[in-house]
C-alpha cells in the first residue's frame, strides 16, 4: 500500500476554518532565498528541491534503506517574511524572504540525504543542489486554515485567522528563525489555475 500524507495525516494539512493543531517534530530538505516568487530564480530553487525528494523516494521504493516503501512525496512548503516590513495589501513581493522545503519521511536519515544530494550535485547542472540543507523542526502549537484561490487574496484568510486569535486570546510568534507564517501548497501552483489553488496557511501560536 502506498503511504499518502493526504489520507494518513489529514489533520495536519486540511482545515476549512481556523483550527488549532499541534505539529510534531518533522524533518525537511530546505533552500533559502530572497525576492519575488514570480521570478525565474524562485522556479530554479524549486527545481533543486524536487529532484532530490524524488530520488530519495525512488531509492526507498527499491529498498535502499532495507524496508521498501512507496509513498507520496510531501507538498512544497514555504515560510515567509519581508526584509522591509511590508505586509497585507501593501506587501512588496520584491522584498520577500523565504525558505522553501519538502518534508521527508521518518525513515530517511541526514546521512542518506547527503548521499543522494552528492550524487545529484556530481551529475546535474542546477546550481542550487549544493545549497539544499537538512533541517529538523518542531512547530508545536499552531493555527491553520486552507485558503482557496489566488495567492493575492490570501489576506482574506489571514484576516479570518487573526479574528479567531483575537476572539480566543491567542497570539502568534515567529517560527523557524525570523519567519512569520508557513504556507503549504496542497495543489501545484505551476499546474493549477489560480482560482483552484489550495494553500494551507499556518501561524505558530505563542504558548
Amino acid at each position: 500500500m502506498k503511504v499518502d500524507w493526504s489520507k494518513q495525516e489529514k489533520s495536519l494539512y486540511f482545515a476549512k476554518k481556523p483550527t488549532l493543531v499541534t505539529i510534531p517534530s518533522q524533518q525537511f530538505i530546505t533552500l533559502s532565498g530572497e525576492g519575488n516568487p514570480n521570478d525565474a530564480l524562485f522556479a530554479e530553487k524549486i527545481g533543486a528541491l524536487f529532484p532530490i525528494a524524488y530520488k530519495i523516494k525512488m531509492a526507498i521504493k527499491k529498498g535502499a534503506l532495507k524496508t521498501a516503501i512507496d509513498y507520496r512525496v510531501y507538498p512544497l512548503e514555504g515560510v515567509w517574511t519581508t526584509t522591509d516590513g511590508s505586509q497585507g495589501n501593501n506587501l512588496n513581493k520584491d522584498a520577500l524572504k523565504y525558505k522553501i522545503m519538502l518534508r521527508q519521511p521518518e525513515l530517511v536519515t541526514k546521512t542518506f540525504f547527503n548521499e543522494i544530494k552528492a550524487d545529484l550535485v556530481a551529475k546535474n547542472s542546477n546550481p542550487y543542489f549544493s545549497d539544499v540543507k537538512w533541517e529538523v523542526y518542531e512547530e508545536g502549537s499552531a493555527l491553520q486554515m486552507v485558503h482557496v484561490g489566488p495567492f493575492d487574496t490570501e489576506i482574506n484568510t489571514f484576516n479570518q485567522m487573526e479574528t479567531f486569535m483575537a476572539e480566543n486570546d491567542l497570539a502568534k510568534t515567529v517560527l523557524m528563525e525570523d519567519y512569520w507564517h508557513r504556507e503549504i501548497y496542497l495543489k501545484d501552483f505551476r499546474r493549477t489555475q489560480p482560482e483552484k489553488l489550495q494553500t494551507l496557511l499556518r501561524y505558530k501560536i505563542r504558548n
Side-chain angles (χ1 to χ4, degrees):
M1 182 182 71
K2 187 173 184 177
V3 178
D4 187 340
W5 55 267
S6 69
K7 296 177 181 178
Q8 277 98 20
E9 299 181 276
K10 284 185 177 180
S11 64
L12 296 185
Y13 293 97
F14 298 98
K16 293 182 179 180
K17 59 183 181 180
T19 303
L20 290 169
V21 293
T22 300
I23 309 299
S25 178
Q26 298 175 339
Q27 50 192 25
F28 300 90
I29 56 174
T30 72
L31 190 55
S32 298
E34 294 185 9
N36 194 318
N38 295 312
D39 292 345
L41 176 62
F42 188 70
E44 280 191 75
K45 293 199 171 186
I46 292 176
L49 281 180
F50 275 102
I52 294 177
Y54 276 101
K55 191 171 179 65
I56 290 173
K57 166 191 161 72
M58 295 309 298
I60 291 175
K61 185 177 179 180
K62 295 177 180 178
L65 293 179
K66 296 183 180 180
T67 302
I69 295 175
D70 189 16
Y71 62 90
R72 182 180 177 187
V73 170
Y74 282 95
L76 182 70
E77 306 187 23
V79 290
W80 298 84
T81 189
T82 56
T83 57
D84 64 357
S86 63
Q87 58 183 321
N89 293 325
N90 298 314
L91 177 66
N92 175 13
K93 292 184 179 180
D94 291 332
L96 283 168
K97 176 183 175 183
Y98 57 84
K99 181 182 290 185
I100 52 175
M101 61 195 73
L102 288 169
R103 185 181 164 193
Q104 297 301 300
E106 291 183 4
L107 79 163
V108 180
T109 65
K110 183 177 181 179
T111 298
F112 187 64
F113 154 72
N114 283 330
E115 292 173 358
I116 295 291
K117 172 183 166 180
D119 186 57
L120 281 172
V121 168
K123 296 179 180 178
N124 292 271
S125 60
N126 189 309
Y128 300 107
F129 279 134
S130 59
D131 295 331
V132 177
K133 297 180 179 179
W134 177 269
E135 294 189 49
V136 178
Y137 179 71
E138 184 174 349
E139 203 130 80
S141 299
L143 177 68
Q144 64 184 27
M145 181 177 174
V146 172
H147 172 74
V148 178
F151 296 131
D152 288 342
T153 61
E154 284 182 351
I155 186 64
N156 300 327
T157 301
F158 279 125
N159 286 341
Q160 292 183 58
M161 295 167 68
E162 296 281 353
T163 298
F164 180 90
M165 287 191 295
E167 292 175 347
N168 292 275
D169 195 27
L170 300 171
K172 63 186 177 183
T173 187
V174 293
L175 53 85
M176 294 189 86
E177 302 154 21
D178 58 349
Y179 296 98
W180 275 95
H181 80 272
R182 181 182 299 275
E183 298 184 357
I184 302 178
Y185 308 103
L186 303 175
K187 290 195 173 182
D188 189 340
F189 51 77
R190 298 168 297 177
R191 300 177 176 86
T192 305
Q193 293 298 314
E195 66 274 10
K196 295 182 180 180
L197 289 173
Q198 294 182 16
T199 307
L200 183 72
L201 305 179
R202 184 184 290 161
Y203 285 142
K204 180 177 175 65
I205 298 300
R206 183 183 302 152
N207 292 323

